Amino acid sequence: MKKIVSLALIMMLVLVGCGKRQQGDLKKLTFVLDYTPNTNHTGIYVAKELGYLAEEGIELDIVQPPADGAPVLVASGKAQLGVDYQDTIAAAYAQDEPLPVTNVAALVQHNTSGIVSLKGSGIENPKGMEGKRYATWGMDVEQAMIKNVVEKDGGDFSKVKLVPSNYSDIFTGLGNDIDAVWIFYGWDGIAAKAKNVDVDYFAFKDINPVFDYYTPTIIANNEFLKEDSEIVKAFLRAIKKGYEYSIENPKEAAKILLKDNPELDKDMVIASQEYLKDEYISDAKKWGYFDSARWNNFYAWLFENGLIEKEIPSDFGYSNEYLPD
């Protein structure tokens, strides 16, 4: 009997010791955001706070992006993973030596961006932008998309007045110096409601399905993918759980985001989370999934319209192979 008790005690001590070693051997990863923390990122903060990442043996350091954005930091290996967008990374892929990063998960399944204006200003649709002041970032792809939707709606893009966008708060400019601006509805569209500002809005994907590209996404360093594919899969398993929790528990998930980022507006975050819970997966077959046709159609459009210097091969720049089943 004493031998049995002793053996049980030894086994218990071994297990405790193993647990401590495993906890001490957490794989440290650096994850760089695309922008200041917001509800696009909630699942990442949830996965960290609720221990989903630790369960997969990962310790995650979430950092702010440098001036030149997340892709450069990820490509350099100073961060293994980060957040970016299919549209802005296109130029980095359309060259003889593409940037060595791969999109491994879609954080939001459909493009939720579009044009917002004050209600009653006559911009319920793209043609209404004629004669109006649009706040532009001065990017070729951006302006080509505006031109496309205006012309598809029977308008004349040359009549749209392009003015530089320099507003941290779009509602300061709307109705004063500008009439229309490009927003992501899940943040600024929700902000309009929170501020009791009546607006008109149209989404790009509703005018031209080619513009239903992936934004934002998780990107990973290619060398990291090659050398530590199992860690990447473990990371995405944890992040998937974080987003599934955010879908099922939007208010609690919002509180987790706010806990790490108390400078954010509480009511705004909760309202935005309620909206995005239906957008993270939407109609996709699973969280994070990239549809080949949607991915390729947008890059084909960029090349056909002379917006990238080199054609991007089909299915280049993304992968579904690291996503959990």
Side-chain angles (χ1 to χ4, degrees), residues 292 295-297 299-300 311-318:
S292 173
W295 182 275
N296 293 328
N297 287 345
Y299 278 171
E311 187 172 14
I312 299 173
S314 292
D315 296 326
F316 180 86
Y318 82 91

Side-chain angles (χ1 to χ4, degrees), residues 150-161:
V150 167
E151 292 180 349
K152 272 189 173 294
D153 198 39
D156 183 348
F157 177 71
S158 68
K159 294 181 180 179
V160 178
K161 299 175 182 178

Side-chain angles (χ1 to χ4, degrees), residues 286-304:
K286 61 181 179 179
W287 175 84
Y289 184 77
F290 293 105
D291 177 77
S292 173
R294 281 173 53 201
W295 182 275
N296 293 328
N297 287 345
F298 180 65
Y299 278 171
W301 181 84
L302 290 181
F303 183 68
E304 289 163 6

